[in-house]
Amino acid sequence: MQSTNATVIRLTRLTETSLIVHWFSESYGLIKTVAKGALRPKSLFAGQIDLFFSGEISFSRARRGELHSLREVLIQDCRQSLRENYTSTLLAAYCCQLLESAVEPEHSDPELYNLLSRVLTHLEVKLPRLNSLHHFENELVKILGVYHKQRSTETALRDTLGSLPAIRNKIIERLLQREDFSSSNQNLSS
C-alpha cells in the first residue's frame, strides 16, 4: 500500500456502487483509483469522497494499467464553503480540469499540488473574481515552463494543451457579469 495527501479532482461512476476517483496527489501527481462499493450506504467511503475533498489516501497499485484500488481515506478538508457559491464551484472545477489536461499521469509535481491547494483554499474564503482565474493560469504556465512575456497566458496554454476546457468561457462571462453588477451598485451608492 502507498499513502499520500491528495485532492479529488474528478469522479466517474464505474458501476452502480463503485466510483473511479481522480486525485491530484502530492507524492504521485495525477492518480486514478477505484473506490469499490463507495455508493453503498454502509460503505467505508460513504461521505469521504466528493469533489475538492482533500486528505490522506492509501491505495494499492494495479498490477497492470493505471486504475489503482483505493483502500483508505482520511479527509482533512471537505471545502464545504466552496460549494455554496456556484461560480466558485465552476472555477474550482475549471482549475482541476486544466491541471488534469496539463500533467502526465503519476508524475509527481509538488509545485502543482501546492498551486491547486492554494486556489481551492482561496475560492473557499473569497468570492471568485476574474483575477483568480488569470492568476491560476499565469502560475500554471510558469510552473509548466511555457511562460513567454510576448505571448498571452491563454495562447501559451492553448499552444501547449491544444485547447482549454470549454467551461472557461462560461466562467469568464459569469465573472464579468458579477463584476459589472458590483461596479454599477457601487456607482449607485456614490
Side-chain angles (χ1 to χ4, degrees):
M1 282 221 303
Q2 297 177 315
S3 297
T4 184
N5 289 321
T7 300
V8 178
I9 61 171
R10 183 162 35 131
L11 295 167
T12 309
R13 191 175 213 133
L14 179 63
T15 65
E16 271 190 47
T17 60
S18 297
L19 293 170
I20 296 175
V21 186
H22 296 241
W23 303 87
F24 198 78
S25 72
E26 188 172 29
S27 304
Y28 303 102
L30 179 64
I31 55 174
K32 297 176 193 173
T33 62
V34 173
K36 293 179 184 173
L39 300 174
R40 288 189 182 125
K42 294 183 180 182
S43 169
L44 176 68
F45 301 120
Q48 298 289 310
I49 301 173
D50 205 352
L51 278 178
F52 318 126
F53 277 24
S54 292
E56 186 176 339
I57 64 168
S58 297
F59 63 97
S60 297
R61 286 203 168 273
R63 291 180 191 190
R64 282 186 248 132
E66 59 183 27
L67 197 54
H68 311 299
S69 184
L70 186 63
R71 297 292 182 210
E72 294 178 343
V73 177
L74 178 60
I75 294 303
Q76 295 158 347
D77 192 353
C78 64
R79 297 192 168 92
Q80 184 60 38
S81 61
L82 202 152
R83 289 173 187 71
E84 294 169 3
N85 180 293
Y86 182 63
T87 307
S88 294
T89 305
L90 284 178
L91 184 51
Y94 168 74
C95 293
C96 290
Q97 288 174 8
L98 190 59
L99 188 63
E100 189 172 17
S101 67
V103 299
E104 292 293 320
E106 300 189 33
H107 175 75
S108 174
D109 195 325
E111 255 187 308
L112 288 175
Y113 179 79
N114 183 35
L115 176 62
L116 179 63
S117 294
R118 285 187 297 137
V119 74
L120 294 178
T121 299
H122 174 79
L123 292 172
E124 255 189 299
V125 296
K126 301 221 179 197
L127 287 174
R129 301 191 55 192
L130 199 52
N131 270 0
S132 307
L133 180 136
H134 290 277
H135 181 75
F136 180 81
E137 291 178 338
N138 286 331
E139 292 296 306
L140 183 60
V141 296
K142 289 175 186 172
I143 293 170
L144 295 176
V146 295
Y147 171 78
H148 193 282
K149 64 182 176 184
Q150 295 179 344
R151 191 167 59 159
S152 76
T153 300
E154 181 181 354
T155 302
L157 286 170
R158 284 189 197 282
D159 290 349
T160 303
L161 306 175
S163 66
L164 296 177
I167 197 172
R168 184 179 192 271
N169 292 333
K170 182 178 182 178
I171 294 167
I172 290 174
E173 184 180 307
R174 288 182 67 90
L175 292 172
L176 287 173
Q177 285 174 351
R178 195 176 142 267
E179 289 176 14
D180 286 345
F181 180 75
S182 292
S183 65
S184 67
N185 277 348
Q186 286 178 351
N187 291 339
L188 290 174
S189 63
S190 302

